[in-house]
Amino acid sequence: MAYTAPIGDFEFIFDKLVALENVAATDRFAEATAETVGAILSEAAKLCEGVLDPLQRVGDLHPARLENGVVRTPPGFAEGYRAVADGGWVGIASNPDHGGMGLPHALATAVNEMMSSACLSIQLNPLMTQGQIEALEHHASPEIKAIYLPKLISGEWNGTMNLTEPEAGSDVGALRCKATDNGDGTYAVSGQKIYISWGDNDFTSNTCHLVLARLPDSMPGTKGISLFLVPKFIPDDTGAAGAPNSLRVVSLEHKLGLHGSPTAVMEYDGATGWLIGEENGGMAAMFTMMNNARLGVGVQGIGVAEGAYQKALAFAKDRKQGRTGGSGTIVEHPDVRRMLLEMKADIFAARTLALGCAVASDMATATGDPFWSARAAFLTPIVKAYGTEVGISVAQTGIQIHGGMGYIEETGATQYLRDGRVLAIYEGTNGIQAMDLVGRKLADGGEAAFNIFDDIEAWAETARNAHPRLAKRVWSATETLRETTEWMAAQEDMQDRLAGATPYLRATARVLGAHIHLKAALMAGPGPRTELARFYILRMLPEFTGMLSHAREGAEGLYSIGIEDL
């Protein structure tokens, strides 16, 4: 089964649901005309279908490996990456002053989803680089920007993010990596970092690491962390990759999936680095990269889901088993049809939510309006958690549709689940996303959330004549969610919020998904989109009730059973 890019969905979402034309109406993104968007999507589809998709299984069967200190990537990965870089896809949303296309992040988000469906192991590389580019654009000195940004944007060099250490995972403030001032504008960085995606490769001429480290006498915790740019090769006077730096790949992790993508243990031994941002301001600078990555990881989950769905659908249309009507294949079985529709409905909701978040980010960038910044910030943890959980659930359902063959590696169905499982863990686990949602994102008393709920209810009112039953369900669900949000924002004991954070996030995603499907039905008129909306709202939306009931129980019940009785 070959991957087919869902161009029709992207065009419908951009045109009818998330108002990309409003982004194109700004001076910043005036070049993002409908013609340009169509051309970009078409060319990206060709890349993903013709170049990257054939490498999906290759990377799984021929993992990246470390030989005598050199990382060797799977056959064809160098050519695949070069096609990505030469096409300008790494810098699609980057500043034109340094060689980027300067297009909206929303359009880059669509391209990244397609690349994730085609070959997630390769797509991880440019995604990390894109995050580094954004961090440097916001926080690096003009001298650093001049040297690094053109080469990162062109794909000549690639970038990584180094946060995690053996004793400092989600608790980044516990890190031990050290940096000392060399007195010449550089710093000596020493320590070990783990789980470094694409920490090295054999096809770019330099790998540039953003490393969190602690300066001498800095305060403990996250307030004492600084950020340093540490390249594999130190740029010479011309800006080209020069002498080797004092760093090395210690080992590559043996992972459940993403075998084609090398995940490195990195060792820094007095490596030369440059401070990015202010001293002890590393977390602020790194969060620029992480927020970009959190949306990107949610989109990776959606990409995994789309690939798994397409494979399962193709199998269901071909597999004959039992007594069925019509085609005689299992796609006619009611339970198989239910699974396929759940997959399709969740993918559409998650995709639209991600693109809507990216549009809000673009509007914030173009206008400086805090309304859009708040909206993007509120939606980001939902996109990350919902998108990755959709990726996992759809991939798992895809195995179920394959039946016994789904458990056999040769079909390729399990790869989507193995590759996608980590997405709910990295860039902040989904539990951390949920805690961020009920903590920082409700610090405004729920204002950003209520603005979104107001929009949903307004659309539900608009849809009452065309789809009275569906509109009523969506409006009522939104009111219930509003009440729970008010309850969450009113809890002074943060433990009571955190105890219900995950079900609250999932319920919010369900209601937002229902709104998306209702709006799609209204904009598309009678036909498949309306029937899919009916399926989602009548059969999947009701799950939110139990989720919100769970969310409002508080923390007490979590601790009434002692540790010894767990």
Side-chain angles (χ1 to χ4, degrees), residues 41-54:
L41 292 175
S42 177
E43 289 303 310
K46 292 177 184 177
L47 168 75
C48 294
E49 295 169 357
V51 178
L52 300 185
D53 182 53

Side-chain angles (χ1 to χ4, degrees), residues 487 493 495-500 549-563 565-566:
W487 180 90
D493 187 343
Q495 290 295 90
D496 287 328
R497 292 197 202 185
L498 300 183
S549 177
H550 185 172
R552 294 181 66 159
E553 280 300 309
E556 183 179 359
L558 297 183
Y559 298 94
S560 58
I561 298 176
I563 294 176
D565 295 320
L566 289 175

Side-chain angles (χ1 to χ4, degrees), residues 327-544:
S327 65
T329 60
I330 64 170
V331 75
E332 303 291 351
H333 284 299
D335 197 54
V336 173
R337 188 67 66 93
R338 172 194 62 80
M339 288 188 283
L340 289 168
L341 287 173
E342 286 182 354
M343 296 161 84
K344 186 176 180 67
D346 252 343
I347 291 169
F348 182 78
R351 174 178 292 138
T352 306
L353 187 62
L355 295 176
C357 180
V359 163
S361 178
D362 286 329
M363 291 299 293
T365 299
T367 68
D369 188 338
F371 170 87
W372 291 110
S373 299
R375 177 158 294 197
F378 181 81
L379 291 176
T380 295
I382 303 173
V383 171
K384 195 277 180 181
Y386 180 46
T388 57
E389 289 182 1
V390 166
I392 294 167
S393 66
V394 168
Q396 181 159 291
T397 302
I399 294 173
Q400 189 72 16
I401 288 174
H402 279 79
M405 291 303 297
Y407 203 65
I408 305 302
E409 282 289 349
E410 282 77 5
T411 65
T414 63
Q415 184 181 345
Y416 291 105
L417 182 58
R418 289 187 288 101
D419 285 355
R421 185 59 187 87
V422 73
L423 301 177
I425 298 171
Y426 66 39
E427 301 307 336
T429 66
N430 286 359
I432 289 175
Q433 305 304 315
M435 290 190 289
D436 178 50
L437 180 64
V438 302
R440 290 187 184 91
K441 301 309 188 291
L442 293 185
D444 61 357
E447 181 180 353
F450 298 144
N451 285 335
I452 292 173
F453 301 161
D454 290 344
D455 287 350
I456 294 174
E457 290 180 353
W459 273 101
E461 291 291 349
T462 301
R464 280 192 185 273
N465 289 334
H467 305 288
R469 188 182 180 196
L470 304 185
K472 182 180 179 180
R473 292 283 186 96
V474 173
W475 193 94
S476 297
T478 307
E479 272 300 289
T480 304
L481 179 59
R482 185 191 297 271
E483 293 167 1
T484 301
T485 304
E486 292 170 348
W487 180 90
M488 277 283 181
Q491 301 311 299
E492 295 182 1
D493 187 343
M494 188 57 68
Q495 290 295 90
D496 287 328
R497 292 197 202 185
L498 300 183
T502 291
Y504 173 79
L505 184 149
R506 289 172 176 167
T508 304
R510 268 284 169 260
V511 175
L512 293 175
H515 159 65
I516 286 165
H517 277 284
L518 179 61
K519 188 174 180 181
L522 196 62
M523 301 302 288
R529 294 195 188 277
T530 295
E531 293 308 311
L532 191 63
R534 192 182 312 280
F535 180 89
Y536 186 99
I537 293 169
L538 299 183
R539 298 172 186 261
M540 298 174 69
L541 173 61
E543 296 171 355
F544 90 98

Side-chain angles (χ1 to χ4, degrees), residues 303-319:
V304 166
E306 178 65 34
Y309 169 72
Q310 289 191 19
K311 179 172 282 291
L313 178 61
F315 181 86
K317 287 181 175 180
D318 183 66
R319 174 66 167 165

